[in-house]
Amino acid sequence: MTAYILRRLLLIIPTLFGIMLINFIIIQASPGGPIEQQIFKLKHQSSEVTSRFSGGGQGESSTATSSAYRGAQGVDPELIKELEVMYGFDKPAHERFFKMLGDYLTLDFGNSFYRDRSVIDLIVEKMPVSISLGLWTTLLVYLISIPLGIRKAVLDGSRFDVWSSAVVIIGYAIPGFLFAVLLIVLFSGGTFFSIFPLRGLVSDNWDQLSQFGKILDYFWHIALPVVAMVIGGFATLTMLTKNSFLDEINKQYVMTARAKGLTEKQVLYGHVFRNAMLIVIAGFPSAFVSVLFTSSLLIEVIFSLDGLGLLGFEATVNRDYPVMFGTLFIFSLLGLILNLIGDLMYVLIDPRIDFDSREV
């Protein structure tokens, strides 16, 4: 096991390098970088400010026209050079890439282009919101999906299985953000009731509340976002659990256990559960990463929750490269480590699995 863990940890290095390289190439080739965005802002300022930075002569306009940046016509080439130095674009792309990786090795993720704060401070500030959504959503999804999937497998083909499957299909077919809109209309001051707050993770007077009041206020705010994400995410895990149990129930060792006189409960939880839950429980780390970094984006926007999803979205729109690449590096590293933890959970659930005998 030690050799396998060491190989996987070493494999993280080239994998992370490949992820960063591919995304760097794609982003560099995309139009609308930070310099172009600054040029756009300059050209839409007042006439007094624009005249200060624009080249008045025909020669300067011609030079700007030949610039590599879109919309640079009429902008002083010297200003463009200053912007290139400011954003680090005065160096070739490969130098910028390897300098970025070198800084990341020392945990230097740079400063945001537009927020004038370090990337790591922004991530730490936004992390509690996304962790709250991801942790509670993943926990509730598993607490609902696993018992429901087991029940559906045991009662396969029954009336309960049929109507619960209809609920699962509805949950699978309708995206979580549509449920979020529906919940707002029903319970957040929409057409019907005004029970839950519409935005934010805590109230404005949260610091003035008692410890118990803070807990209640926190769950009061996070209730609707979590419910929306749970409804949109429990369907797949429920069917995975059901199919996994059905596959195990029909195997020979289950028939042998029944022939020995074991009760259905002993067969189900003493023999079937460990084998059937192997793929379900071992997938918890990757499921948490998926909820934490992808599924929460629209939910954060709808409920005005200032988390990592919203931070990444705004960084992409504004071409805030330090935030984009810094978050990409941290999230990719976290995802690779959690995938390794997921593999190790296979051994914890079923010690018969031996990773030392297999190649990475």
Side-chain angles (χ1 to χ4, degrees):
M1 178 59 66
T2 303
Y4 173 77
I5 295 175
L6 182 60
R7 291 199 304 268
R8 286 293 301 271
L9 289 175
L10 292 176
L11 187 61
I12 288 177
I13 298 175
T15 303
L16 193 59
F17 178 85
I19 292 174
M20 297 301 296
L21 178 60
I22 292 173
N23 283 274
F24 184 86
I25 294 174
I26 294 174
I27 292 176
Q28 294 300 311
S30 302
I35 294 180
E36 292 172 324
Q37 296 218 0
Q38 288 297 327
I39 291 173
F40 177 82
K41 292 179 180 179
L42 287 172
K43 296 185 71 172
H44 286 75
Q45 287 177 348
S46 64
S47 58
E48 180 181 352
V49 176
T50 302
S51 63
R52 180 189 305 175
F53 292 105
S54 61
Q58 181 66 28
E60 289 182 347
S61 178
S62 176
T63 303
T65 301
S66 63
S67 173
Y69 304 105
R70 296 184 179 183
Q73 294 85 352
V75 179
D76 189 349
E78 292 300 323
L79 175 61
I80 295 180
K81 291 181 180 180
E82 292 179 8
L83 291 175
E84 288 179 339
V85 174
M86 180 187 303
Y87 293 116
F89 281 76
D90 56 324
K91 300 180 179 64
H94 67 278
E95 290 186 16
R96 287 186 277 118
F97 176 72
F98 286 106
K99 181 182 183 302
M100 178 184 69
L101 292 185
D103 292 338
Y104 287 178
L105 292 178
T106 61
L107 300 181
D108 179 11
F109 298 97
N111 295 321
S112 169
F113 284 162
Y114 302 99
R115 293 175 180 256
D116 195 26
R117 294 183 58 189
S118 68
V119 174
I120 195 67
D121 287 343
L122 287 173
I123 293 176
V124 171
E125 178 184 328
K126 312 299 181 184
M127 187 72 78
V129 175
S130 295
I131 287 182
S132 294
L133 290 176
L135 186 62
W136 290 114
T137 299
T138 307
L139 181 62
L140 289 176
V141 164
Y142 269 75
L143 288 177
I144 294 173
S145 299
I146 291 177
L148 180 60
I150 295 175
R151 188 66 175 172
K152 286 174 63 61
V154 173
L155 301 178
D156 183 43
S158 66
R159 184 175 300 176
F160 171 82
D161 183 41
V162 173
W163 71 258
S164 60
S165 294
V167 175
V168 169
I169 292 173
I170 294 174
Y172 183 80
I174 302 179
F177 70 90
L178 289 183
F179 277 114
V181 174
L182 177 62
L183 291 174
I184 288 176
V185 172
L186 292 177
F187 303 110
S188 287
T191 308
F192 298 92
F193 305 100
S194 180
I195 301 176
F196 296 95
L198 181 60
R199 61 184 67 242
L201 190 63
V202 293
S203 300
D204 294 335
N205 64 336
W206 191 79
D207 292 333
Q208 303 173 4
L209 300 176
S210 64
Q211 190 64 33
F212 182 70
K214 290 180 178 179
I215 296 175
L216 289 180
D217 184 74
Y218 166 75
F219 283 107
W220 182 48
H221 279 78
I222 207 172
L224 293 188
V226 169
V227 169
M229 295 177 67
V230 168
I231 292 176
F234 83 101
T236 301
L237 185 60
T238 299
M239 298 309 299
L240 177 63
T241 303
K242 176 188 175 182
N243 294 333
S244 181
F245 268 81
L246 282 177
D247 184 59
E248 293 295 326
I249 287 174
N250 295 324
K251 289 185 177 180
Q252 183 65 38
Y253 75 89
V254 176
M255 299 177 60
T256 303
R258 288 171 176 166
K260 291 181 179 179
L262 298 179
T263 64
E264 283 298 313
K265 187 175 182 179
Q266 290 174 324
V267 172
L268 185 63
Y269 294 101
H271 294 76
V272 176
F273 185 85
R274 185 181 65 178
N275 296 327
M277 292 305 297
L278 183 62
I279 189 173
V280 177
I281 296 179
F284 180 87
S286 59
F288 177 71
V289 172
S290 176
V291 172
L292 182 61
F293 300 134
T294 58
S295 302
S296 62
L297 171 58
L298 290 176
I299 299 298
E300 289 181 12
V301 174
I302 291 173
F303 289 97
S304 299
L305 299 173
D306 194 9
L308 294 174
L310 187 58
L311 175 66
F313 174 75
E314 292 177 348
T316 303
V317 172
N318 295 323
R319 298 297 194 272
D320 196 345
Y321 289 169
V323 176
M324 292 173 62
F325 287 113
T327 53
L328 174 66
F329 181 86
I330 293 175
F331 298 161
S332 299
L333 179 60
L334 180 61
L336 292 171
I337 293 175
L338 287 178
N339 283 332
L340 173 59
I341 295 175
D343 286 345
L344 298 180
M345 289 183 67
Y346 279 100
V347 180
L348 295 177
I349 299 171
D350 190 349
R352 295 171 299 176
I353 296 177
D354 182 15
F355 282 115
D356 286 329
S357 62
R358 55 176 284 192
E359 296 294 333
V360 179

